[in-house]
Structures are given as structure tokens and as C-alpha cells.
């Protein structure tokens, strides 16, 4: 599957509402920034409430606009962020591989997702800080992979600092949704799918995605598809 950034956020076939969840300090904002801007975030602060960014990508021959809601992980904001769960196509459930407590709390986050999102919502479990030393790791890859399988989630580990795999969670989820649309399992016209049609070129109820375009690449900052400068806006998405 070919994945590339697009300059013009006004032209797309589908918009996919995406929400990034997890405990405070797990690197949610760094992951979002790395994916959208193609470079690591140099200054980090805790998200207050919710921030939003957009990036346009190409999956096969289908243009996808990802509307990414980066949420605060602190408990005092939990009631606010729950309001963004409904009508979500993609959920990235983020934990820090060097902090076991951020992994053990995942079930609470997942229960909220299961209760408040569509049956078609794609959940991706994302372990951050893959660049850290092995002796700092507190969550084994196989253990996290097993958790994801038990909960029907996709899974990957990333480094927002080096850029390793930062595109993969979004790539996996977008591919899964497009395959579902192509196979007729998902109807974007249904309420609360978090999938919206773009311009008039999009055929209602039919994807432009080719089932042949399913190869999955893992690139670093040298990848040309991470060098575009997409349009972003804090606090809302356009």
C-alpha cells in the first residue's frame, strides 16, 4: 500500500475521524506531531482538553483526510474527552513501553471506547518510545501483541523521536477501514461510523481503494512521504 502526504487538504475521497487516547505522558502529542509534520516535537507540554490536526494521505488510489483529535490523558479531562468518542472511525490507544502502569490501565480506556464508539471503529494499540534502551522496557512486545489480539485491536510500536513506524498506526487503520468499505462490511452512510465522504468524485457507498494496494512499508525520517507540510490548526479541524 502506497502512503503519501498531500498538500491540498480540500481534495479527498473520505475523511476519517481519528482520536488518540491514553494516559498522560505516553507521547500522544509527540506521535500526532511526528505523523503530521514529519519531524519530532522539540517542545512538549501536556495537552489541555483536546487539540486537533489534519493530514491528507493517499492509500492506493484513494485520498484520505485524517482528522486527528489529540486528547489529554489526565483524569480531570476524562469527562471532556469522552465527548469526542462518538462518531470516531479510528482510535489509537497509546501506552509507554517504559512505564508499565500506562499499559495496565489500557483496559479502562478500552472499555470506554467499546461503550461509546461504533462497532466498525478500528482500534490500534500503539507502544511509544521504541528508541529507548532495552533495559528500560517494562512492557514486552509479545505481551502487548497478545493484549491487542484479545481485544480485537491492531498493534505496533513506534518512536516519535526517530520517526520509526510513526505512520504505521494510521496506515493500518485506514487500510482496514477501506477494505471494510470495499467488501461491503462498512457503509459510510451509517450514523456514527466516523467516515465521511469528500468531494463529488467519491462514489457513494463505494471506495476507490484497490485490494492490490496492501503492502505495508515502515520508513524513517528519510521517507519522502513524511516531508510535506500539511495544514494544521489547534483546537479545530478543517
Amino acid at each position: 500500500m502506497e502512503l503519501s502526504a498531500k498538500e491540498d487538504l480540500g481534495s479527498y475521497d473520505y475523511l476519517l475521524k481519528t482520536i488518540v487516547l491514553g494516559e498522560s505522558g505516553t507521547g500522544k502529542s509527540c506521535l500526532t506531531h511526528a505523523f503530521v509534520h514529519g519531524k519530532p516535537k522539540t517542545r512538549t507540554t501536556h495537552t489541555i482538553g483536546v487539540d486537533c490536526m489534519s493530514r491528507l494521505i493517499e492509500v492506493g488510489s484513494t485520498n484520505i483526510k485524517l482528522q486527528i483529535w489529540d486528547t489529554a490523558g489526565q483524569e480531570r479531562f476524562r469527562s471532556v474527552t469522552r465527548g469526542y468518542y462518538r462518531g470516531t472511525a479510528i482510535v489509537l490507544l497509546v501506552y509507554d513501553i517504559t512505564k508499565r502502569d500506562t499499559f495496565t490501565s489500557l483496559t479502562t480506556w478500552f472499555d470506554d471506547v467499546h461503550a461509546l464508539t461504533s462497532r466498525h471503529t478500528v482500534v490500534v494499540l500503539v507502544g511509544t518510545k521504541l528508541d529507548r534502551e532495552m533495559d528500560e522496557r517494562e512492557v514486552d512486545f509479545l505481551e502487548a501483541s497478545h493484549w491487542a489480539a484479545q481485544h480485537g485491536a491492531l498493534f505496533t510500536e513506534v518512536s516519535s523521536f526517530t520517526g520509526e513506524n510513526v505512520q504505521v498506526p494510521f496506515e493500518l487503520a485506514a487500510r482496514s477501514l477501506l477494505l471494510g468499505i470495499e467488501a461491503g462490511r462498512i457503509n459510510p452512510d451509517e450514523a456514527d461510523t466516523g467516515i465521511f465522504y469528500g468531494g463529488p468524485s467519491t462514489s457513494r457507498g463505494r471506495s476507490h481503494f484497490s485490494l492490490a494496494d496492501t503492502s505495508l512499508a515502515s520508513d524513517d525520517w528519510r521517507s519522502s512521504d513524511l516531508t510535506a507540510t500539511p495544514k494544521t490548526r489547534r483546537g479545530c479541524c478543517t
Side-chain angles (χ1 to χ4, degrees):
M1 176 180 65
E2 182 183 354
L3 181 85
S4 59
K6 293 290 185 180
E7 296 280 349
D8 181 11
L9 288 186
S11 176
Y12 55 90
D13 297 308
Y14 294 104
L15 181 148
L16 306 179
K17 180 183 174 183
T18 303
I19 189 168
V20 186
L21 302 174
E23 296 293 330
S24 179
T26 53
K28 300 184 298 297
S29 296
C30 289
L31 172 60
T32 303
H33 184 278
F35 174 69
V36 170
H37 294 285
K39 59 184 179 181
K41 190 174 185 179
T42 54
R43 297 181 63 184
T44 60
T45 57
H46 288 300
T47 300
I48 306 299
V50 178
D51 281 345
C52 188
M53 300 183 187
S54 296
R55 173 173 165 176
L56 193 66
I57 63 173
E58 187 175 90
V59 182
S61 59
T62 304
N63 293 325
I64 301 293
K65 180 178 178 180
L66 294 171
Q67 184 190 74
I68 308 167
W69 297 87
D70 172 28
T71 67
Q74 297 99 316
E75 180 62 36
R76 68 179 184 275
F77 294 118
R78 198 71 63 87
S79 61
V80 175
T81 58
R82 283 194 185 101
Y84 290 84
Y85 287 29
R86 295 194 184 279
T88 297
I90 299 168
V91 172
L92 302 190
L93 203 51
V94 179
Y95 70 97
D96 180 346
I97 67 171
T98 70
K99 295 180 180 178
R100 186 163 186 82
D101 59 326
T102 66
F103 177 75
T104 56
S105 67
L106 287 173
T107 300
T108 300
W109 291 96
F110 182 84
D111 288 345
D112 282 348
V113 169
H114 182 71
L116 297 173
T117 62
S118 161
R119 70 184 188 280
H120 298 304
T121 299
V122 174
V123 179
V124 186
L125 178 64
V126 184
T128 60
K129 305 184 183 178
L130 185 56
D131 56 284
R132 302 290 284 272
E133 298 295 331
M134 282 298 297
D135 60 3
E136 296 181 83
R137 179 187 281 270
E138 294 184 359
V139 182
D140 184 72
F141 179 92
L142 291 178
E143 180 183 10
S145 179
H146 181 64
W147 189 97
Q150 282 186 320
H151 292 81
L154 303 172
F155 171 60
T156 190
E157 292 182 341
V158 307
S159 169
S160 301
F161 180 71
T162 66
E164 185 176 359
N165 293 344
V166 292
Q167 81 281 12
V168 170
F170 304 92
E171 189 174 323
L172 286 171
R175 180 180 67 171
S176 177
L177 287 168
L178 289 176
L179 286 170
I181 295 171
E182 184 74 15
R185 295 190 303 270
I186 300 175
N187 179 4
D189 287 320
E190 288 185 10
D192 295 329
T193 62
I195 304 170
F196 305 92
Y197 291 107
S201 62
T202 306
S203 300
R204 292 281 167 174
R206 181 164 179 79
S207 169
H208 296 289
F209 181 58
S210 168
L211 294 177
D213 297 320
T214 56
S215 61
L216 187 62
S218 175
D219 303 317
D220 57 22
W221 293 130
R222 292 169 294 182
S223 171
S224 60
D225 65 19
L226 292 175
T227 58
T229 305
K231 178 180 177 184
T232 64
R233 182 176 296 178
R234 290 174 61 88
C236 64
C237 281
T238 58

